Amino acid sequence: MTLTHRIDAESGIVYVDVVGSFTMKEIKALIDGVVKDPDFRRGYHILSDHRRIGDPATAGQVRGTVEHIAALIDALGESKWAIVASKEASYGMMRMMEMLAEDLPIQISVFRDLEDARDWLLR
């Protein structure tokens, strides 16, 4: 499993790559790492590429991720989070995340195509 991120300050996008399977602890560490990155700025958008994911997130992991995002909302700010998922089960779980986060100031949307996701972030 690898969860990595890089920040493109010019576009204001944090690119996250998810490869393999992961634990809730690893998900939280990734999000914390993004927020603590010296190049991160409040309001940056996030593009998560889940096309090489192993096992899809569980319902508990999805709920835990939304709770963790909510706890960090002051650091994250109003922004968009695009998730690209190609596997059906992963796509479905990320749609669940999208719905659970509806009341947060972070707008989450799930895509099948990386360019569509990036275009949405830049609109």
Side-chain angles (χ1 to χ4, degrees):
M1 172 297 310
T2 48
L3 297 170
T4 58
H5 80 274
R6 70 177 174 83
I7 295 176
D8 179 354
E10 188 174 318
S11 66
I13 296 176
V14 178
Y15 291 91
V16 173
D17 285 312
V18 180
V19 179
S21 299
F22 47 84
T23 66
M24 191 65 234
K25 183 178 178 180
E26 291 165 326
I27 295 168
K28 287 181 178 180
L30 170 75
I31 297 168
D32 291 345
V34 167
V35 171
K36 292 176 183 174
D37 189 308
D39 294 329
F40 178 76
R41 300 290 176 266
R42 189 174 194 275
Y44 273 12
H45 300 309
I46 300 171
L47 195 156
S48 294
D49 185 349
H50 294 213
R51 294 174 298 171
R52 296 180 294 160
I53 199 168
D55 295 326
T58 65
Q61 287 174 325
V62 170
R63 282 190 294 279
T65 300
V66 172
E67 289 169 5
H68 197 64
I69 291 168
L72 294 172
I73 207 65
D74 287 341
L76 292 166
E78 272 190 52
S79 59
K80 295 179 182 178
W81 191 325
I83 302 167
V84 181
S86 56
K87 295 180 180 177
E88 286 302 318
S90 182
Y91 185 88
M93 293 310 290
M94 293 303 98
R95 289 279 295 139
M96 177 182 161
M97 184 171 153
E98 182 180 330
M99 289 183 275
L100 289 173
E102 284 179 335
D103 293 333
L104 297 178
I106 294 178
Q107 187 179 1
I108 297 174
S109 192
V110 185
F111 299 85
R112 296 203 186 271
D113 181 78
L114 192 65
E115 285 308 311
D116 290 344
R118 191 170 190 285
D119 289 346
W120 177 75
L121 290 177
L122 295 173
R123 270 190 255 134

